[in-house]
Amino acid sequence: MLSVNDVGVSFGGSQLFSHVDLQFTPGNCYGIIGANGAGKSTLLRVLCGSLEPSSGTVSMDKNDRMSVLEQDHFKYDAYPVLDTVIMGNRRLYDIMKEKEALYAKEDFSEADGEKAAELEGEFAELNGWEAESEAAQLLNGLGLSTPLHDAQMSSLDGRQKVKVLLAQALFGNPSIVLLDEPTNFLDLEATAWLEEFLIDYPGTVLVVSHDRHFLNAVCTHTVDIDYNKVRLYMGNYDFWYESSKMMQQLIRNQNKKKEEKIRDLQAFIQRFSANKSKSKQATSRKKILDSITLEELPASSRRYPFVGFEMDREAGKDILFVEGLSKTIDGVKVLDNVSFIVNKGEKIALVGDNEAGQTALFQILTGEDEPDAGSFKWGVSTSRSYFPKDNAAFFDNCELDLLNWLRQYAKDTTETYLRGFLGRMLFSGDDVFKPAKVLSGGEKVRCMLSRMMMAQSNVLLLDQPTNHLDLESITALNDGLAAFGGNILFSTHDYEMTATLADRIIELRAGKPGCLDYTGDYEGFLAWKKEHGEA
């Protein structure tokens, strides 16, 4: 068990949070949520001991072992992949190396034999004989193929390193696992594997994530950092989100129909407690939700941007024809004879681990790059807006303030109109005079979405639009895209967006020609792949 007693953290005289008292118990997964800058990662650092709190203490049982997802992707470049995973249990790894050194000695003494026997005993207690097998299973589950298990970490790309470090954090069944954005850079299939792993995990898991589907799938509790306080609620993210909105409405209407709102909230709790969509968790979740009282529901200060896309005209029947597109980048063929036709109104998700191919396809379709072979043709009635994965060209070295940055893309250039538009995207008051080049990653994304909304196009192309966004903005974007009546082609690490938005799936497979093209939602696509041996 992990205990937090009267913990507070402040920086430069500014209080991040204070008087935090929490108990984290085995068999539960705690999702830590909060606006950007609220202190989610800071709380994890306090819990693992890498940051000393300004006040209070953190303690855990003496026999517990804590594991933390490493954030430095270059830390283990000098080691093989399997060794890096086994380092998740540092004592086991040290025993392995000490044994190897002893047995390699030419003058192996009686004392060495006694020490080796002692190490062998501890090695067996730590399940050392199964270490390499367990490490391999974790790596395979996350989609890192067996030939890479003996590779040096320095030879892997960034996405592969993330998978190794995640396997390291999960290795050896630690009592407590702290995961900061574990689904970042994971493809959707690896995320699905991680969900199943954590659902059955017997230890204590704390996770910071912007992935709503992931939080809903694995979390039994929600830790909300808001109003400079840290509060623990029962239930997953959806339960927190819906009950928070209802509580906000209740607070706003304290003197109007209060009793009716209370009845609505109680019915809401009962509805969630009866939800058996996750059979593995249904019983435990029902017990948790049945125990919730009205006073335990959250009231949040969160602000949600407004994301809404309108079309200046409706597209005709012909949208897009793609024929035999191929592209090689830095000697790697990322697109190989890719062909498909986009029909009117379709919302298509590009999925798979070939993100370079996804970006290359977007860049070709928007005219930013040329294919090595093949062709494509847009329908004459289509108008397109593009959200690039890398938006640096729009902001780096830009001397304009935010108001004038947006004015470049506006038909109505009046300050009143621009301020109104920026206000809906959470830029108010003097925020509009902030230089565009100093905006945070999330602020830049909101600006790029504003630019797209102003264009009023009937086709939207979005390459990883949820990167850098907080949960509130991701939710608003998901809702805005779902309400859009035109065509969408998009890629995202956000499982929920793919699952709820797409009605067609195209998987671009690294090292394989063509693409997998499935008409239907993402859950159906996964089942179809499994049935046809494509998984």
Side-chain angles (χ1 to χ4, degrees), residues 159-331:
R159 296 175 69 248
Q160 292 169 331
K161 286 182 178 180
V162 167
K163 292 182 177 182
V164 177
L165 295 175
L166 185 52
Q168 180 193 74
L170 302 175
F171 176 78
N173 297 311
S175 310
I176 302 166
V177 183
L178 306 186
L179 303 173
D180 193 353
E181 297 292 357
T183 62
N184 275 7
F185 307 110
L186 287 189
D187 55 80
L188 295 175
E189 291 185 29
T191 300
W193 178 89
L194 179 60
E195 288 173 5
E196 291 301 317
F197 183 91
L198 293 179
I199 284 170
D200 294 326
Y201 198 73
T204 304
V205 180
L206 287 84
V207 58
V208 171
S209 178
H210 287 148
D211 188 326
R212 298 159 296 159
H213 184 278
F214 180 74
L215 290 174
N216 285 326
V218 304
C219 292
T220 58
H221 297 71
T222 298
V223 178
D224 181 32
I225 304 179
D226 201 1
Y227 298 109
N228 298 109
K229 296 184 181 298
V230 181
R231 296 183 177 89
L232 176 64
Y233 299 101
M234 294 183 182
N236 62 13
Y237 175 75
D238 266 358
F239 184 86
W240 174 90
Y241 174 66
E242 294 295 338
S243 56
S244 172
K245 288 198 301 185
M246 296 181 79
M247 281 300 292
Q248 285 179 316
Q249 186 64 33
L250 176 59
I251 291 169
R252 285 193 294 267
N253 298 289
Q254 286 186 15
N255 299 320
K256 294 191 299 182
K257 301 181 180 179
K258 185 173 182 179
E259 293 301 320
E260 180 182 334
K261 277 291 175 186
I262 291 174
R263 286 195 297 272
D264 287 345
L265 283 164
Q266 291 168 338
F268 168 77
I269 293 172
Q270 292 172 357
R271 176 163 54 86
F272 259 81
S273 67
N275 186 346
K276 291 183 169 33
S277 62
K278 280 278 185 183
S279 59
K280 291 182 181 179
Q281 304 169 75
T283 302
S284 61
R285 295 294 169 82
K286 189 175 189 306
K287 289 178 181 177
I288 291 170
L289 291 169
D290 282 347
S291 67
I292 295 175
T293 65
L294 184 63
E295 291 73 25
E296 292 174 314
L297 294 177
S300 174
S301 65
R302 304 287 204 288
R303 297 169 63 214
Y304 291 80
F306 171 79
V307 180
F309 298 94
E310 298 179 355
M311 300 181 288
D312 58 0
R313 61 174 180 175
E314 190 170 322
K317 181 180 178 181
D318 294 337
I319 304 298
L320 175 63
F321 302 86
V322 174
E323 182 65 36
L325 287 183
S326 295
K327 182 69 177 180
T328 297
I329 299 175
D330 296 331

Side-chain angles (χ1 to χ4, degrees), residues 449-496:
L449 293 173
S450 298
R451 173 179 173 270
M452 290 185 73
M453 287 188 282
M454 282 183 166
Q456 297 187 319
S457 302
N458 52 36
V459 178
L460 306 179
L461 300 100
L462 304 104
D463 189 6
Q464 300 296 340
T466 60
N467 289 356
H468 307 293
L469 287 183
D470 56 23
L471 277 166
E472 293 74 39
S473 297
I474 292 173
T475 301
L477 174 60
N478 201 153
D479 292 344
L481 292 173
F484 180 62
N487 281 86
I488 303 175
L489 280 81
F490 70 100
S491 67
T492 179
H493 294 130
D494 189 86
Y495 191 109
E496 185 80 4

